[in-house]
């Protein structure tokens, strides 16, 4: 086999290896271990990140730094080089400085695989990669060396589920304009003759993918950046980033200080540590793990057109590189490094000795897939450390802690595929304040401080790299970093059989399962929800039972993870602020609830929230869980200067436990626990009251459920939470109260055609597009953010429209389900994608929410009207199979035994219902299980 290895069974023995590092670091380590007092060593092991001082700072180096620069980029790797290049393209080259503590591009070639590929899990990531690849091609066409070769990528599947994932990817890719093909095993072998087809079910071929040399691409960016006027200084380290009034002011370097307006942290491996160089600290949650690349000696006859091959189920990849094979992979559990938090400063010290014992599983998979590699000669196994974020996604955007401080990091070994797109969108954000893609899934504001906890990162990032090659199942959950944020009623929910999901670190029940809920000692078992299929999920029956309870009796759900803010002021300033931030009119009677968006200047949703007016000068905001950091950033950044000292905004998410009771008997139940009159006349729908419940007081009760069902959400001070929960659950026994999880409430809101931010709404979706124009008050006395854009859209017409689709002839027992991201076809032409999908337990059909567009024959977008939407014949493509669908534009009134006029009058999507029966195409039918007739006007 390999000349340097001897294999015995599954064990790998290696010749003794020398540990190597730079002489200076080697001496420092010996000095530390032999002469330092143990107590001092423990202190220093927790020291802050200290950049290296330039060894011999000459006047020439000091003179290279300008006194002032509009933008300072820290990091001369491929991402920093791309940002510099794109700022130069934007005309900011003469005002941009890039500093690198070592040498631009690094000193160690091939510390990345060099794949320039489009296979990404989301539209945003795919488009960023697509732009990057096109840019690399253009640089190569202009004569700059990049190492670009369009060899294509061959992606192998060993299981039916993997092939299903490939079919889903193909459906999405074709809709997004990316060419790819599903292959049989024999066709896979035609693309790469080296392969053994043992265990292969098929593959996905992406012909437009290619390979390149990341170091050459980085140098090409740098050459172009310099041509465009960017100043680049090597061997210069950032010591501190100074801010003033919450904005970047200057940077302090080993070669002097530089005043600047913007700072961009593109330090990759060191991004988290560079974040500590400012006050306040910018939290960049990244953790270093070992990552190996195997290089062979040149192989005779190896074709330079060998595709980039990924065997996802074997967790390996390989490619041809300068006549030899470069291979690697992603272990199921990564090996941590720098557990003490002390990060080396040089690229050389970042290179660790290879760990053959850790790599052997990937080596076995590689030899299984390409048996001929057994005859190859090993050149080296490199251990080039890489950093990963807690959710295995890239990290982009403006830091929540300091305005004009931008971060681009966590590219998880795929920096070359991401670099061009990241450079472009960061440049857009810096120079224009917005960009051409919705970035919320990658934005650094998706994290909380807990995600930057070093021990949390050590726990989570063992698992994160392995996710890179796993099947992207619906609702996939991490197994690590759990039991972190829990509501006070968490133990009771676990005892009740909760199976948990995690959002923003919060454990919330996804559904309840009474089977196997105790461990061998009789204690409640902590269970993590798993779907692990693209068809009918294992939790289907549990959710069906919870759904029925919410519609026919009483369900009780934990909403504690929702984002909760309090706004208040001494005068009327809080009203002025919210009128400016929100598109709806918030100056309503005390006790009212306002559902409103916070729009950006283009009219898109930065936040979608409910505001309860607690008093004349006090509001409570309820927003999606993932908005906890993001909303505060937006509010602080856009608060007018004259209001900053007068309006208080507090994140009270962790102060209140939120319990929702929903169902037709919820009013009766709550009435038994409070002395307050809850009749509709006294406590109508969409209003707020502060109640005594049980023996507790100060309970903020909102007469909404966010699902369209009857009910209330109780925001309870944490010290009362267990008491109130116990009283509700005990009193609800006579109504056969039942716990309900997130999956059940999600199913309810999908059927009711309710849009949620982060799933249906994003920064590019406007209220006019999603049927909420009636929530936009253009005649408010204060000009709100986004008003002009929405007025223009109202005049010109919307270019896409939010719709509900019900699949016909779809068998939920055997057919693949919709899970979001399915292409929508109108009269055989692609017109949009689904956003949120699920099974409608009343419709007894798959229900899809999504957006429909109108394209002419040349691909140009035209306005979308109700007539256009309703006149088409629709299909939804699910993993390559198209199902006929019936379209709906309005929130339906679902058949119920418990009609409620208040709620029937309220429609979350579009305020003038005018739709036919959704359950049938004609005639009188009955809704199964209810006996209620429908004649075309009942929904």
């Amino acid at each position: 086999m390999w000349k340097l290895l001897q294999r015995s069974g599954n064990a790998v023995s290696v010749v003794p290896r020398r540990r190597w590092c730079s002489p200076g670091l080697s001496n420092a380590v010996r000095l530390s271990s032999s002469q330092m007092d143990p107590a001092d060593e423990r202190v220093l092991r927790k020291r802050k990140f200290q950049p290296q001082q330039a060894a011999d700072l000459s006047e020439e180096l000091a003179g290279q730094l300008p006194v002032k620069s509009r933008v300072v980029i820290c990091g001369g790797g491929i991402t920093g080089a791309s940002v510099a290049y794109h700022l130069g393209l934007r005309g900011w080259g003469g005002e941009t400085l890039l500093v690198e503590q070592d040498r631009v591009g690094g000193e160690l070639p091939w510390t990345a695989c060099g794949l320039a590929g489009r296979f990404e899990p989301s539209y945003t990531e795919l488009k960023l990669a697509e732009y990057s690849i096109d840019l690399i091609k253009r640089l190569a066409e202009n004569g700059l060396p990049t190492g670009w070769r369009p060899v294509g990528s061959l992606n192998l599947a060993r299981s039916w589920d993997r092939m299903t994932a490939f079919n889903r990817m193909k459906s999405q890719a074709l809709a997004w304009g990316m060419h790819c093909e599903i292959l049989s095993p024999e066709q896979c072998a035609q693309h790469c003759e080296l392969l053994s087809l043992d265990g292969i079910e098929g593959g996905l071929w992406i012909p437009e993918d290619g390979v390149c040399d990341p170091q050459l691409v980085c140098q090409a960016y740098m050459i172009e950046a310099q041509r465009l006027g960017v100043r680049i200084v090597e061997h210069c380290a950032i010591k501190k980033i100074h801010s003033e009034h919450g904005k970047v002011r200057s940077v302090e370097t080993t070669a002097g200080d530089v005043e600047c307006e913007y700072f961009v942290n593109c330090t990759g491996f060191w991004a988290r540590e560079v974040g500590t160089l400012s006050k306040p600290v910018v939290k960049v949650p990244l953790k270093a793990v070992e990552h190996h690349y195997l290089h062979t000696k040149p192989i005779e006859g190896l074709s330079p057109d060998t595709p980039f091959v990924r065997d996802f189920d074997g967790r390996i990849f390989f490619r041809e590189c300068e006549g030899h094979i470069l291979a690697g992979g992603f272990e199921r559990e990564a090996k941590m490094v720098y557990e003490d938090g002390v990060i080396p400063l040089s690229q050389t010290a970042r290179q660790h000795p290879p760990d053959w014992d850790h790599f052997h599983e990937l080596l076995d998979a590689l030899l299984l897939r390409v048996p001929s590699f057994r005859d190859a000669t090993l050149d080296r196994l490199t251990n080039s450390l890489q950093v990963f974020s807690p959710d295995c996604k890239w990290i982009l955007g403006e830091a929540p802690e300091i305005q004009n401080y931008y971060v681009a990091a966590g590219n998880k070994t795929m920096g070359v595929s991401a670099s061009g797109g990241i450079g472009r969108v960061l440049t857009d954000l810096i120079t224009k304040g917005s960009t051409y893609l919705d970035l919320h899934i990658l934005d650094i504001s998706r994290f909380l401080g807990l995600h930057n906890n070093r021990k949390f990162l050590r726990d989570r990032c063992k698992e994160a790299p392995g996710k890179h090659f796993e099947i992207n199942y619906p609702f996939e959950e991490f197994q690590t970093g759990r039991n972190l944020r829990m509501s006070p009623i968490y133990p009771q929910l676990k005892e009740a059989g909760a199976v948990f999901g995690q959002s923003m670190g919060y454990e919330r029940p996804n559904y309840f399962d009474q089977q196997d809920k105790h461990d061998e000692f009789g204690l409640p078992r902590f269970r993590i929800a798993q779907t692990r299929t693209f068809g009918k999920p294992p939790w289907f029956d549990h959710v069906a039972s919870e759904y029925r309870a919410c519609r026919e009796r009483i369900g009780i759900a934990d909403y504690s993870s929702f984002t909760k803010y309090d706004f208040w002021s001494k005068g009327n300033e809080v009203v002025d602020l919210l009128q400016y931030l929100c598109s709806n009119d918030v100056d309503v009677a005390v006790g009212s609830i306002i559902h409103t968006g916070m729009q950006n200047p283009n009219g898109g949703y930065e936040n979608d929230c409910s505001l309860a007016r607690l008093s004349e000068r006090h509001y409570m905001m309820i927003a999606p869980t993932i908005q906890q950091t993001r909303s505060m950033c937006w509010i602080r950044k856009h608060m007018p200067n004259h209001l900053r000292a007068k309006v208080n905004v507090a994140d009270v998410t962790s102060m209140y436990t939120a319990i929702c009771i929903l169902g037709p008997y919820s009013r009766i139940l709550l009435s038994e626990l409070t002395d307050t009159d809850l009749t509709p006349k006294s406590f109508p729908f969409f209003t707020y009251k502060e109640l005594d419940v049980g023996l507790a007081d100060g309970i903020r009760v909102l007469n909404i459920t966010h699902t369209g069902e009857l009910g209330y959400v109780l925001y309870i001070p944490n010290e009362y939470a267990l008491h109130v929960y116990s009283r509700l659950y005990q009193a609800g026994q006579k109504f056969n109260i039942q716990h309900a999880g997130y999956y059940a409430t999600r199913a309810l809101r999908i059927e009711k055609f309710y849009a949620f931010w982060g799933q249906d709404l994003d920064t590019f979706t406007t209220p006019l597009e999603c049927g909420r124009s009636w929530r936009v008050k253009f005649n408010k006395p204060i000009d709100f953010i986004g008003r002009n854009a929405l007025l223009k859209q109202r005049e010109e017409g919307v270019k896409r429209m939010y719709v509900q689709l019900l699949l016909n002839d779809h068998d939920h027992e055997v057919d693949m389900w919709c899970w979001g991201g399915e292409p929508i076809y109108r009269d055989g032409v692609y017109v949009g994608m689904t956003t949120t999908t699920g099974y409608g337990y009343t419709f007894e059909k798959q229900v899809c929410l999504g957006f429909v567009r109108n394209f002419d024959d040349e691909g140009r977008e035209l306005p979308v009207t109700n007539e256009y939407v309703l006149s088409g014949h629709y299909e939804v493509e699910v993993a390559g199979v198209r199902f006929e669908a019936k379209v709906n534009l309005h929130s339906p009134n679902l058949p119920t035994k418990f009609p409620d006029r208040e709620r029937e009058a309220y429609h979350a999507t579009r305020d003038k219902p005018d739709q036919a029966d959704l359950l049938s195409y004609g005639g009188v039918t009955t809704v199964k299980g209810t006996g209620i007739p429908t004649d075309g006007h009942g929904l």
Side-chain angles (χ1 to χ4, degrees), residues 74-290:
C74 180
I78 194 168
T79 304
S82 175
V83 175
Y85 165 65
H86 283 88
L87 283 167
L89 287 177
R90 195 57 55 85
W92 286 36
E95 301 175 285
T96 300
L97 169 69
L98 185 148
V99 296
E100 164 58 43
Q101 69 171 0
D102 206 328
R103 294 183 60 187
V104 164
E107 298 177 345
L108 301 171
W110 297 115
T111 54
C113 65
L115 170 66
R118 294 168 170 80
F119 193 103
E120 297 294 346
S122 71
Y123 177 78
T124 297
E125 292 164 287
L126 182 144
K127 285 299 179 183
L128 291 175
E130 186 177 81
Y131 174 82
S132 301
I133 295 168
D134 291 341
L135 176 58
I136 292 169
K137 289 180 183 178
R138 291 200 302 270
L139 293 173
E141 290 167 358
N142 292 336
L144 291 165
T146 62
W148 165 255
R149 286 183 290 126
V151 298
S153 70
L154 178 60
N155 307 280
L156 304 176
R158 299 189 190 184
S159 68
W160 173 256
D161 278 2
R162 180 72 67 179
M163 286 302 297
T164 301
F166 284 173
N167 276 292
R168 288 176 55 82
M169 179 67 184
K170 181 186 176 184
S171 294
Q172 293 174 335
L174 293 179
W176 294 335
M178 184 185 102
H179 179 60
C180 59
E181 302 172 29
I182 296 293
L183 303 180
S184 67
E186 293 73 24
Q187 289 173 318
C188 292
Q190 291 173 10
H191 283 284
C192 183
E193 297 178 352
L194 299 170
L195 294 176
S196 163
L197 298 181
D198 184 23
I200 295 299
E201 295 287 336
L204 180 72
W205 171 248
I206 307 178
E208 296 171 349
D209 284 356
V211 294
C212 58
D213 184 332
Q215 198 170 42
L216 291 179
V217 174
C218 179
Q219 291 170 3
Y221 287 150
M222 287 296 187
I223 290 169
E224 289 296 281
Q226 286 183 304
R227 181 180 64 81
L228 294 167
V230 175
R231 185 175 297 189
I232 299 170
V233 180
E234 296 180 321
H235 304 293
C236 176
I238 296 287
K239 295 170 68 177
K240 288 183 180 179
I241 301 99
H242 297 284
S243 60
E244 188 173 61
H245 304 303
K247 294 184 177 181
V248 169
R249 186 194 52 159
S250 65
V251 296
E252 182 181 333
T253 79
T254 52
D257 296 351
V258 182
E259 290 186 28
C260 60
E261 293 180 42
Y262 301 91
F263 177 77
V264 190
N265 180 350
C266 293
T267 51
F269 184 77
W270 295 273
R272 182 174 185 268
E273 283 61 44
V274 170
T276 67
L277 302 180
S278 60
K279 290 185 179 179
V281 167
V282 169
K283 302 177 182 67
V284 187
L286 293 168
K287 184 72 179 78
V289 303
E290 292 191 359

Side-chain angles (χ1 to χ4, degrees), residues 319-350:
R319 57 159 292 196
E320 185 276 340
C321 178
E322 299 174 353
H324 69 272
I325 288 293
L326 184 159
F330 294 88
E331 302 89 340
R332 194 176 304 276
E333 182 174 313
K335 186 178 178 182
M336 297 290 102
V337 290
Y338 310 129
E339 301 275 6
D340 56 7
V342 179
I343 306 296
L345 290 165
S346 71
Q347 286 278 8
T348 305
R350 172 181 166 181

Side-chain angles (χ1 to χ4, degrees), residues 551 751-752 842-843 888 890-897 899-900 903-904 907 913-920 923-927 930 932-939:
R551 295 220 68 214
E751 278 197 317
K752 288 292 184 73
T842 295
F843 290 139
N888 175 39
H890 302 279
S891 288
N893 288 327
L894 298 181
T896 177
K897 298 176 183 178
D900 183 90
R903 285 157 181 77
E904 288 177 2
H907 293 82
D914 181 20
Q915 73 273 14
D917 176 26
L918 299 178
L919 298 181
S920 65
V924 178
T925 62
T926 60
V927 182
T930 67
I932 300 174
T934 63
D935 58 3
H937 303 285
L939 298 182

Side-chain angles (χ1 to χ4, degrees), residues 57 131 281 334 348 359 373 401 526 704 776 847 886 919 935:
L57 181 60
Y131 174 82
V281 167
T348 305
F359 186 74
F373 285 175
E401 297 84 359
F526 174 67
I704 56 174
V776 179
V847 184
K886 182 171 177 62
L919 298 181
D935 58 3

Side-chain angles (χ1 to χ4, degrees), residues 444-556:
I444 191 170
S445 65
R446 70 185 187 269
F447 297 116
L448 293 168
L450 66 89
H451 294 111
N452 197 47
N453 179 294
R454 185 163 59 85
K455 293 181 179 179
F456 170 83
L457 287 170
R458 183 180 62 192
D459 192 25
R460 170 60 59 81
C461 290
K462 289 180 181 178
E463 182 184 5
K467 291 282 187 183
H468 193 50
F469 270 20
E470 288 187 357
I471 297 174
N472 188 25
Y473 285 114
F475 304 133
E476 193 69 359
E477 293 281 345
F478 283 96
Q479 305 298 304
T480 54
R482 303 303 296 256
N483 281 320
L484 184 56
R485 298 180 77 195
M486 297 168 283
S487 72
I489 63 173
Y490 168 83
Q492 280 64 38
L493 298 175
K494 188 165 68 169
E495 175 67 41
V499 183
F500 291 94
Q502 190 183 62
S503 181
M504 292 293 275
Y506 231 113
E507 297 292 350
R508 65 181 182 189
N510 280 353
Y511 63 94
F512 290 79
D513 181 1
Q514 300 304 314
Q515 301 297 317
D516 196 34
K517 65 179 183 179
H518 293 107
D519 61 19
E520 61 271 28
F521 304 107
L523 300 175
R525 187 192 304 273
F526 174 67
R527 294 175 294 174
I528 298 173
Q530 296 291 340
T531 300
R532 311 294 290 180
T533 180
F534 293 105
K536 180 183 176 182
W539 38 259
F540 178 87
D541 293 333
H542 302 299
V543 175
S545 176
E546 296 166 22
Y547 172 96
R548 286 192 295 271
C550 295
R551 295 220 68 214
E552 300 171 7
R553 306 189 309 276
I554 299 181
I556 183 168

